[in-house]
Amino acid sequence: EHQKLIRNFSIVAHIDHGKSTLADRILEMTDTVAKRDMKDQLLDNMDLERERGITIKLNAVELQYHAKDGHTYEFHLIDTPGHVDFSYEVSRSLAACEGAILVVDAAQGVEAQTLANVYLALDDNLEIIPIINKIDLPSAEPEKVRKEIEDVIGIDAEDAVLTSAKNGIGIEEMLEQIVQKVPAPTGDLNAPLQALIFDSVYDEYRGVVLSVRVFEGTVQPGDRITLMNSNTTYEVTEVGVNSPKPIKRDYLMAGDVGYLTASIKDITDTRVGDTVTNAKDPADKALPGYREMAPMVYAGLYPSDNAKFNDLREALEKLKLNDAALEYEPESSQALGFGFRCGFLGMLHMDVVQERLEREFNLDLITTAPSVTYRVNQTDDTVLMVENPSEMPEVSAIKTIEEPYVKASIMVPNEYVGAVMELCQHKRGQFQTMDYLDDYRVNVIYKMPLSEIIYDFFDKLKSSTRGYASLDYEIADYEPSDLVKIDILLNSDKVDALSFISHREFAEKRGREIASKLKKIIPRQNFEIPVQAAIGAKIIARTTIKAYRKDVTSKIHTGDPDRRAKLLEKQKRGKKRMKSVGTVDIPQEAFMAVLQTD
Ligand code: GTP
């Protein structure tokens, strides 16, 4: 029977332990991609992913593997991202699988997200196949890592394959273990259709393309299907698999992972986590959906050119389809005009969204400083959730302000524990516990305000531990804090989009820092621009952006046309991510400056 020859699996790991490289080797070994079409990180098909060397979106491909037992197996491999911001993508792909390859770097060992991801896989009852990668590195200590996997994660690692994804070592042995250890899918071909939507993208020509895992029944072109949660009905136009290019199939059946199109034009109808069933003979109930991901940070997204507001709205609608965790709603700012308040999982997610909107939809955008959601207990006994600092009520209306805290686990070699603790204290962290994982590695747990870690905490953590620390965090709860809103005034006008919330203790220092940063970032004009920071009516810092000394544009009138064109081009590029507020041009960096701390 066909199902016996199917294996659905994912690869999970801490970031940079080699998932994508390993996926490339698997693609080669299974002759899925002709050698001439092979390029590095084939599954990372967004330009952005290739440039940054990280996986952002999950990808599913079908592979044929000729096993030593003489059978040809159909593998469905679902690649997953490793960065903490994208862990929701991990749980989505796991729900479509029976097994997971757990990649652990032979030199780095188990790290914070190795643990977080393996727990997600265990929650889904997946068979876990540990492998130890990068054994070619001189610093590799595979036997030590094997023991660590057993001690720290608590799974059997006796058979863990030693691989070098870089040099193609151990790949076949790993593929054989997939055949032997990952259970074949089960599911009744004659039962009513139940297929889980685990991803979707919008295609200009075909409409919405759904990535699905079929659990029960079959589906083929011409079938009338219902999306159970959104309760909408369509006719299937095409089914197929990605290999990795889309290949049409006559049908998909229980156990398969593939794609489905049904001329779905209204993108708001499709939700990742929804179940596809037959319209005529529907399943009794939907498959358990995914955990909803709540955004952790909010920021305003505005077109540099106000006329592009509707373009931005359309772009967000389309991107949302491909990025389930993105949230947005319209907002307006006195300074920036009309835009959207968007919810993100973290800073990397926010960066990626901004870049994708700009690249894929040809927009030029400004993002305001990200903020967490504050809970404000007001004197009239109502509670207000504030996602945008400029909407913080007047001091007289506030009883207390609470802010979200996270539980952060930081794994680090013990020689850096001091540096980590110092950094965490500096970021208002409260020490919780510290566990020795083995003789030299420690898991340090801190409770910290989310607002202190969203911006540059991860970078600071990496630099103060020479790259050795790894971080994972989850939202813990809300706690009261002594917070104040700081306003920024340019040319005596309050710029609402530059307002931010600070702990009172650091408010004056932050106000001064930011005023002097803005002075450096905001380009000079032909008049003086006073920059002020204020708490309520009280000015806490003041500086001035001086006027031009001489007219720099006069340079353009000189000399040869080539040079002139270049200068104009340079000026045009310089204009990107810039917003005119009143008479002042504010570049993107200015909006982020309010978050940088020294
Ligand atoms: P994300 O996709 O961002 O989660 O990272 P990843 O886990 O997919 O890691 P990726 O495959 O991008 O590899 C990270 C880095 O490790 C790259 O520079 C690879 O070239 C390198 N790398 C991967 N496998 C090996 C290996 O077996 N040996 C050595 N020496 N380097 C490797």
Side-chain angles (χ1 to χ4, degrees):
E1 223 221 278
H2 179 60
Q3 272 181 346
K4 290 211 177 75
L5 298 176
I6 299 179
R7 297 291 181 272
N8 297 317
F9 64 96
S10 249
I11 308 180
V12 295
H14 188 79
I15 193 162
D16 274 351
H17 283 198
K19 282 186 313 290
S20 302
T21 313
L22 195 69
D24 286 349
R25 291 297 92 76
I26 297 177
L27 259 55
E28 281 175 0
M29 280 291 288
T30 51
D31 291 330
T32 305
V33 186
K35 278 272 183 321
R36 69 189 142 79
D37 291 338
M38 195 66 207
K39 41 186 177 177
D40 282 353
Q41 264 114 52
L42 198 90
L43 294 184
D44 290 348
N45 55 18
M46 251 190 267
D47 283 350
L48 201 57
E49 296 183 320
R50 241 177 252 282
E51 277 166 34
R52 296 196 175 198
I54 53 166
T55 304
I56 296 163
K57 285 292 302 174
L58 58 96
N59 273 291
V61 286
E62 182 180 283
L63 320 159
Q64 307 288 332
Y65 175 60
H66 309 293
K68 289 186 176 155
D69 64 9
H71 293 294
T72 299
Y73 289 84
E74 196 177 298
F75 282 1
H76 295 128
L77 160 62
I78 302 181
D79 193 21
T80 59
H83 192 278
V84 61
D85 273 16
F86 298 106
S87 53
Y88 74 107
E89 296 269 359
V90 177
S91 61
R92 288 166 47 189
S93 49
L94 293 179
C97 300
E98 277 82 24
I101 297 178
L102 173 70
V103 185
V104 184
D105 186 317
Q108 304 287 330
V110 172
E111 297 197 65
Q113 270 145 25
T114 314
L115 271 185
N117 287 336
V118 86
Y119 289 149
L120 289 175
L122 288 168
D123 282 349
D124 271 333
N125 291 318
L126 301 193
E127 181 67 32
I128 293 169
I129 300 180
I131 70 155
I132 299 168
N133 188 38
K134 305 200 190 181
I135 53 160
D136 58 286
L137 289 176
S139 53
E141 294 182 271
E143 290 316 312
K144 191 171 140 208
V145 171
R146 194 192 297 277
K147 188 164 177 303
E148 200 175 70
I149 294 174
E150 298 197 327
D151 294 349
V152 179
I153 305 179
I155 59 173
D156 186 2
E158 200 189 339
D159 297 336
V161 184
L162 305 186
T163 63
S164 164
K166 189 176 163 200
N167 300 339
I169 298 166
I171 309 300
E172 190 175 21
E173 198 184 337
M174 178 185 74
L175 295 173
E176 286 295 322
Q177 285 202 359
I178 293 169
V179 168
Q180 287 150 20
K181 293 188 174 170
V182 175
T186 53
D188 183 352
L189 307 194
N190 298 313
L193 175 67
Q194 269 187 319
L196 184 69
I197 303 175
F198 64 89
D199 196 14
S200 59
V201 290
Y202 185 79
D203 181 293
E204 198 92 47
Y205 305 103
R206 297 187 291 173
V208 177
V209 181
L210 303 176
S211 294
V212 293
R213 158 68 200 267
V214 183
F215 280 92
E216 303 281 346
T218 58
V219 58
Q220 59 189 10
D223 285 356
R224 307 252 338 137
I225 50 162
T226 298
L227 308 186
M228 293 184 84
N229 289 317
S230 52
N231 199 19
T232 49
T233 296
Y234 301 94
E235 185 178 314
V236 177
T237 48
E238 185 183 321
V239 300
V241 296
N242 294 313
S243 190
K245 294 200 183 78
I247 297 174
K248 281 189 202 176
R249 283 284 166 85
D250 295 337
Y251 56 89
L252 294 176
M253 59 169 213
D256 279 336
V257 174
Y259 70 84
L260 179 163
T261 63
S263 309
I264 304 173
K265 292 286 181 239
D266 189 353
I267 54 187
T268 49
D269 283 350
T270 54
R271 245 198 51 215
V272 164
D274 204 347
T275 302
V276 183
T277 191
N278 309 91
K280 255 202 353 247
D281 178 20
D284 300 343
K285 56 180 188 342
L287 296 161
Y290 296 105
R291 200 159 43 104
E292 290 273 338
M293 287 300 305
M296 304 252 228
V297 296
Y298 289 82
L301 218 52
Y302 291 83
S304 302
D305 173 0
N306 288 335
K308 298 275 187 176
F309 174 74
N310 277 320
D311 294 6
L312 176 57
R313 178 201 299 280
E314 271 172 37
L316 280 166
E317 276 173 12
K318 288 185 179 154
L319 196 63
K320 160 87 184 165
L321 185 74
N322 191 234
D323 184 345
L326 173 65
E327 273 186 14
Y328 62 92
E329 57 181 47
E331 74 168 2
S332 63
S333 148
Q334 266 168 8
L336 302 182
F338 290 99
F340 292 90
R341 193 85 197 155
C342 300
F344 305 100
L345 298 169
M347 288 300 289
L348 181 62
H349 186 212
M350 178 176 117
D351 261 15
V352 164
V353 168
Q354 182 174 9
E355 288 228 21
R356 287 189 67 187
L357 287 169
E358 292 186 325
R359 286 181 195 212
E360 295 170 29
F361 301 93
N362 199 16
L363 293 162
D364 186 38
L365 303 170
I366 290 287
T367 338
T368 63
S371 164
V372 301
T373 307
Y374 295 95
R375 183 149 71 197
V376 182
N377 301 302
Q378 304 189 97
T379 43
D380 65 3
D381 283 336
T382 57
V383 176
L384 188 69
M385 301 304 283
V386 175
E387 288 162 9
N388 183 344
S390 72
E391 280 161 16
M392 189 59 81
E394 289 303 314
V395 179
S396 59
I398 299 175
K399 215 182 325 177
T400 54
I401 304 178
E402 294 171 70
E403 64 178 328
Y405 272 69
V406 297
K407 183 182 144 203
S409 342
I410 299 159
M411 282 194 192
V412 70
N414 53 14
E415 58 197 291
Y416 298 109
V417 167
V420 167
M421 292 180 75
E422 194 180 322
L423 176 64
C424 291
Q425 309 287 16
H426 183 67
K427 297 281 190 182
R428 298 194 281 137
Q430 301 158 12
F431 175 77
Q432 306 286 296
T433 56
M434 186 161 108
D435 292 322
Y436 270 83
L437 300 173
D438 52 37
D439 290 348
Y440 84 116
R441 292 219 315 156
V442 186
N443 191 13
V444 189
I445 306 211
Y446 264 86
K447 196 164 158 183
M448 301 177 69
L450 175 62
S451 64
E452 297 283 352
I453 71 166
I454 51 173
Y455 191 65
D456 55 0
F457 180 72
F458 188 58
D459 293 339
K460 290 219 155 91
L461 182 67
K462 282 282 178 191
S463 61
S464 59
T465 61
R466 303 180 74 212
Y468 279 114
S470 66
L471 167 74
D472 191 62
Y473 60 81
E474 58 189 69
I475 288 285
D477 49 20
Y478 271 82
E479 282 195 14
S481 287
D482 191 9
L483 302 170
V484 289
K485 180 176 74 157
I486 301 180
D487 293 314
I488 300 293
L489 293 82
L490 294 179
N491 230 354
S492 311
D493 290 331
K494 185 162 36 165
V495 180
D496 56 0
L498 287 174
S499 296
F500 63 99
I501 310 287
S502 164
H503 196 269
R504 191 183 302 273
E505 202 180 313
F506 311 113
E508 297 215 1
K509 181 165 165 278
R510 297 285 308 281
R512 279 196 304 276
E513 277 172 10
I514 282 140
S516 73
K517 268 199 197 116
L518 291 177
K519 178 178 168 176
K520 286 188 207 121
I521 294 171
I522 294 174
R524 293 180 178 199
Q525 321 265 328
N526 48 17
F527 51 88
E528 274 195 356
I529 308 166
V531 181
Q532 294 161 302
I535 299 174
K538 185 178 161 221
I539 302 293
I540 55 170
R542 187 198 156 98
T543 165
T544 306
I545 302 170
K546 296 223 176 67
Y548 290 139
R549 244 174 262 132
K550 61 178 184 210
D551 184 5
V552 285
T553 53
S554 64
K555 276 194 202 140
I556 295 178
H557 302 300
T558 60
D560 80 282
D562 240 27
R563 201 172 139 236
R564 190 171 157 193
K566 269 198 198 120
L567 254 162
L568 280 171
E569 182 54 34
K570 202 167 149 199
Q571 285 195 335
K572 216 165 79 201
R573 257 185 288 127
K575 275 241 159 51
K576 291 212 79 169
R577 289 189 172 176
M578 182 95 86
K579 187 93 192 173
S580 306
V581 174
T583 47
V584 183
D585 284 342
I586 308 183
Q588 171 74 76
E589 300 91 277
F591 295 97
M592 294 301 146
V594 302
L595 284 180
Q596 283 156 10
T597 54
D598 300 325

